[in-house]
Each structure stands twice: as structure tokens, then as C-alpha cells.
Amino acid sequence: MYQATLGQRGYRFGDLRQLMAKASPARSGDYLAEVAAQSAEERMAARIALADLPLKAFLQQPLVPYEQDEVTRLIIDSHDAVAFAPISHLTVGDFRDWLLSEQADSAMLAQVAAGITPEMAAAVSKIMRNQDLILVAKKCRVVTRFRNTIGLPGHLSVRLQPNHPTDSLQGIAASMLDGLLYGSGDAVVGINPASDSLPLLEKLNYMLDDVIQRFAIPTQSCVLTHVTNTLRLMERGTPVDLVFQSIAGTEAANRGFGISLALLAEAQQAALSLKRGTLGDNVMYFETGQGSCLSANAHHGVDQQTCEARAYAVARHFSPLLINTVVGFIGPEYLYDGKQIIRAGLEDHFCGKLLGLPLGCDVCYTNHAEADQDDMDTLLTLLAAAGLTFLIGVPGADDIMLNYQSTSFHDALYIRELLGLKHAPEFAAWLVAMNITDELGRLRDAAANHPLLLALQGERT
């Protein structure tokens, strides 16, 4: 039992799950799950009680039962007590103050990351303002490598997302080369296929590999199909760079995705055995999103943001090259409007970076949400100021296959110019060598005889 008093009124919270849920900022998914605070006063009372909770309580009281959930077992069994030691005496409120202090610099945050559980990260985020989430995330440094270096301070990468509603190879190639000419693609060239046909998936992988090898592009490719399909492709000798999978924060939700920790481990080992990375061996790419556990009725009464943070424990276990939250993609049933999407994006980024992950964000919304591109501009700017690892680049910001609104190649140009952010260094050198940018990273006009344009003409003929 947890309690707090505001004025003449006392509030009681039956268990830690209820306390966490009631302390969460208002969002439609928690109301749908009937776990949200019923008033701003109740929410504040929950935050007061949560601030006084020792961090150690999260190791003693799992929100999802240890015996029922392999994600909980992963969190508890892999907890690093030595990394936790410097902050083990703190309450959630003390932890917030410590994170905002000068003592918690980049080196110290990296030192304690393995000792922070997702529930601790989620708890402290609930009592932080947006500016707190931005400031702390900015101090977190997470660097990963495959064919280039991602996550360096002062850098921002872009996933080039050349989706096509019929998986047309020519259409995908046109979008891909368009993105490259805008300087996008240093995070990954990643296709969401419309089909799960193995022969088609194979063709997509070979096409991406051909372009990357032909032009010696220091980046990586990924066809975002189910992990079992990727395993079959690797068995057939298909050139696979990264293994993709959507993941969630409970075993039951992951079962709904058709995955387990053992299956992810198998896929990681298969990808590592290919030795396709030239600079590093971060071979996994994960996507997450608030609401995935609730939509599968697999949330165990836990609020959606804490469930999201628990997904980061799964990702952390497999040392991914990339992970991003698709923050507004699941819909207004979970994040109703621009205000909720912005807050969720900042929470996700903060929690992921605090746990030691290369967190990116698909700054996005569906067309039936109470949000627009101005909201996305705001979130993109705040996340980039907070040290976002990568964002998504879609032609015109309109994904015509997945039917949602994201960020464009032009948005990447805007945020790089605004904040002076650079491409991954190896990719930046390639852009200069290909006469796509100058030495300062400024975009050049592509001549009609540019090799990439000539390649596109060849694809069309």
C-alpha cells in the first residue's frame, strides 16, 4: 500500500503497478486500460508517493510476475549489482535530482546504465518535466557500429525508408536513390515489405546489397520482415546485414509477435556468423511502440509507458545497432493527440538512452490522430536537441505503403542545419566523394550524369 496526502485529502494506491500507472502523464491508452489517474490531483499524489519510493523496491517487487514472464526474468537475472551500487541508496525523487546534477555526466551515466532497470527508468521519467527528459538524454552517449559509426555526439543519422505498396523494385530503387541524393541513409536503408513472399524478400535483399556494394556505400541494409523469414533467408545464403524484429515488454506480447528470447538469440548468432560488418558486430534492429502490449491484451495491468520501457530490456540484451520507437504509429487509441505523442517520444528516448540503447524515433502519426506535421516538427526538434540517434526519412514524409505520416529527407536537412548535426563520419566522407555534399555537409545539386541517377535510369530500362 502506498499513500500520499494533498491538502485535506488522502490517496491510497494498492500496489506498485497501480502507483506507476496513476503517476503517468495522461494518455488515451491508459484510460482504455482503466489504469489511469482519474484526476490531475490523483496523478500528483501518485507522483509524490512514487518520488519517495526507494529504487531497490523495483528489484524486490516485479510488476509482472517473475514466474510468468521471461522478460521479467531477463530484467532481474541480468541486473548488474556493481553498476547499480552508486545509485542503490536513492529514492526515485533522489534519482531524478542526481540525473540532473553535474555529477551524472556522460561517463557516469554509462557506468550505471546496466544497473538501471526499465521500471526504474520509467518511474523517474514520470516525475520529470519535458526539459528534464531532454537534458538527461542529451548526456547519454551510446555508440554502435556495423559498416559505419552511429551515435557520436553532434551527429544524427537517418534511416532511408523507401517503401512501396506493391514492393516494386523500380519504385523502391527510385525512392532509395532519391534519399541518398538528399544525404539520407547512414543509419540503414530499411524496407518494410508489403509481402512476406520469401522469393520477393530475397530479391529485395539482393537489390539493396547490389546498390551498397556497387557504390561502396558505408551503410547497412535491412528488409523489415519477421525474424523467422530472415532466418530462412540467411539459410539460403541471402546477403542479410541486419536482423529486424518488432518487440514488446512482456512475454505474452512477444508471443503475439511470434517471438521469444531464444528465437532472437538464434537469429543474432546466425547474423553474426555471416561477418558482414566491417567496423562492428551490432547486427540487430528493433522497433517498439507504446500500446503494443495493451493492444495484445498482454499488459498485466501495467501502464503502457512502463511496458514500453520493459521492451528496452529485451533490446539491450541483444546489443542492437539500432532501435526506434514508432511513437505515434499505433494510433490515437493509445496516444490521442500531438501533446501525448510529443511527451511519449521524449519519454521513450530518455528511457532508452538511460538504459544504454541507441534510441531513434519514427516521429510519426496516423491520419485519424489529433496531430499534424507541426506537432512532428516540434517533437523532431526536441528529440534532436536531446541527442536523438536517428530518425526516419520517407519521400515527402508520407509512407504510401504503411499509410501514415513520418519525417522526410527535407526534415533531416532542416534539423541538421538548425543544430549543426553531422552524418555518420564514414557516410559523410562518402557523400563528399560522390559529390552529393561539400566538405561542410551542405547539399549539392545533382548533375544529370550523376552515377546514382544513371543507375536509376538503368533500373528503369
Side-chain angles (χ1 to χ4, degrees):
M1 178 71 70
Y2 304 91
Q3 56 189 15
T5 300
L6 283 180
Q8 301 299 313
R9 184 170 180 181
Y11 289 88
R12 295 185 177 184
F13 308 97
D15 58 24
L16 189 49
R17 280 185 303 183
Q18 186 180 82
L19 179 65
M20 290 279 280
K22 299 289 188 181
S24 291
R27 62 204 57 199
S28 52
D30 288 339
Y31 287 114
L32 181 66
E34 299 182 342
V35 300
Q38 296 305 301
S39 67
E41 187 173 280
E42 184 183 24
R43 183 173 297 111
M44 183 55 68
R47 290 175 178 173
I48 291 171
L50 182 60
D52 289 335
L53 185 74
L55 290 178
K56 291 179 180 178
F58 293 103
L59 299 173
Q60 301 159 355
Q61 304 173 52
L63 302 186
V64 182
Y66 182 93
E67 299 77 14
Q68 299 177 18
D69 188 88
E70 69 173 359
V71 177
T72 297
R73 293 193 291 275
L74 174 68
I75 292 168
I76 299 300
D77 295 347
S78 64
H79 182 252
D80 189 329
V82 174
F84 183 55
I87 58 174
S88 62
H89 62 289
L90 299 177
T91 64
V92 173
D94 294 333
F95 188 36
R96 171 193 174 274
D97 295 342
W98 181 82
L99 288 170
L100 292 168
S101 71
E102 293 183 1
Q103 179 186 354
D105 58 14
S106 298
M108 178 58 74
L109 290 172
Q111 179 182 325
V112 302
I116 301 171
T117 69
E119 291 85 354
M120 294 175 193
V124 74
S125 75
K126 295 176 192 300
I127 63 169
M128 298 174 84
R129 291 172 56 185
N130 286 358
Q131 65 175 256
D132 301 336
L133 300 175
I134 293 168
L135 184 60
V136 175
K138 178 74 170 180
K139 296 192 287 184
C140 297
R141 302 279 185 256
V142 184
V143 178
T144 57
R145 293 178 176 87
F146 188 77
R147 290 201 188 99
N148 58 20
T149 306
I150 295 171
L152 293 170
H155 291 67
L156 175 67
S157 295
V158 177
R159 169 188 161 188
L160 203 172
Q161 184 169 299
N163 296 343
H164 193 278
T166 64
D167 290 329
S168 163
L169 296 184
Q170 291 182 345
I172 290 170
S175 293
M176 177 181 177
L177 296 175
D178 183 35
L180 290 171
L181 289 170
Y182 275 107
S184 293
D186 50 342
V188 64
V189 181
I191 301 171
N192 297 93
S195 168
D196 282 332
S197 162
L198 212 62
L200 174 65
L201 298 175
E202 194 167 41
K203 288 180 182 178
L204 292 175
N205 273 283
Y206 274 107
M207 184 193 74
L208 293 178
D209 185 63
D210 174 67
V211 173
I212 288 173
Q213 299 301 329
R214 192 191 325 174
F215 294 102
I217 308 174
T219 191
Q220 37 282 326
S221 66
C222 185
V223 176
L224 282 70
T225 186
H226 193 271
V227 64
T228 53
N229 290 331
T230 305
L231 276 166
R232 293 168 67 191
L233 290 170
M234 289 189 284
E235 290 169 358
R236 293 166 65 138
T238 306
V240 171
D241 287 346
L242 304 183
V243 173
F244 168 81
Q245 183 56 49
S246 295
I247 58 173
T250 68
E251 179 180 348
N254 283 326
R255 191 183 308 121
F257 284 144
I259 63 169
S260 65
L261 298 180
L263 180 61
L264 294 177
E266 179 186 353
Q268 182 188 35
Q269 289 306 308
L272 288 170
S273 71
L274 300 179
K275 301 184 184 301
R276 293 178 57 81
T278 56
L279 294 183
D281 59 0
N282 299 115
V283 296
M284 305 298 282
Y285 176 21
F286 296 118
E287 281 190 342
T288 66
Q290 288 195 30
S292 58
C293 289
L294 175 57
S295 66
N297 195 27
H299 60 295
H300 297 270
V302 178
D303 68 272
Q304 68 180 39
Q305 188 246 335
T306 301
C307 285
E308 168 73 5
R310 283 170 54 90
Y312 302 155
V314 177
R316 181 167 64 176
H317 185 64
F318 295 102
S319 303
L321 179 76
L322 304 166
I323 170 176
N324 67 266
T325 169
V326 283
V327 63
F329 181 74
I330 301 181
E333 299 84 2
Y334 307 98
L335 295 169
Y336 179 72
D337 57 14
K339 180 180 178 65
Q340 292 188 11
I341 292 172
I342 289 168
R343 173 68 190 191
L346 295 176
E347 290 170 348
D348 294 350
H349 181 251
F350 162 83
C351 289
K353 294 293 279 294
L354 191 62
L355 293 168
L357 285 170
L359 222 295
C361 184
D362 190 346
V363 178
C364 63
Y365 64 102
T366 57
N367 288 312
H368 62 309
E370 292 294 323
D372 58 27
Q373 214 64 35
D374 286 338
D375 294 315
M376 299 306 102
D377 287 348
T378 299
L379 179 54
L380 171 60
T381 304
L382 294 175
L383 285 171
L388 184 69
T389 302
F390 72 103
L391 70 151
I392 308 298
V394 177
D398 183 8
D399 192 305
I400 58 174
M401 196 286 281
L402 292 173
N403 196 29
Y404 78 114
Q405 308 304 309
S406 184
T407 45
S408 69
F409 308 139
H410 302 80
D411 294 327
L413 295 177
Y414 146 72
I415 201 64
R416 283 198 172 111
E417 181 177 350
L418 177 70
L419 299 179
L421 300 171
K422 302 176 182 178
H423 300 84
E426 302 84 359
F427 192 81
W430 178 82
L431 290 173
V432 173
M434 290 293 291
N435 203 34
I436 295 173
T437 67
D438 61 20
E439 289 78 3
L440 298 178
R442 296 174 299 198
L443 204 64
R444 295 183 184 275
D445 291 332
N449 63 346
H450 193 282
L452 290 176
L453 292 176
L454 295 176
L456 176 58
Q457 293 171 13
E459 289 288 336
R460 287 174 172 169
T461 58

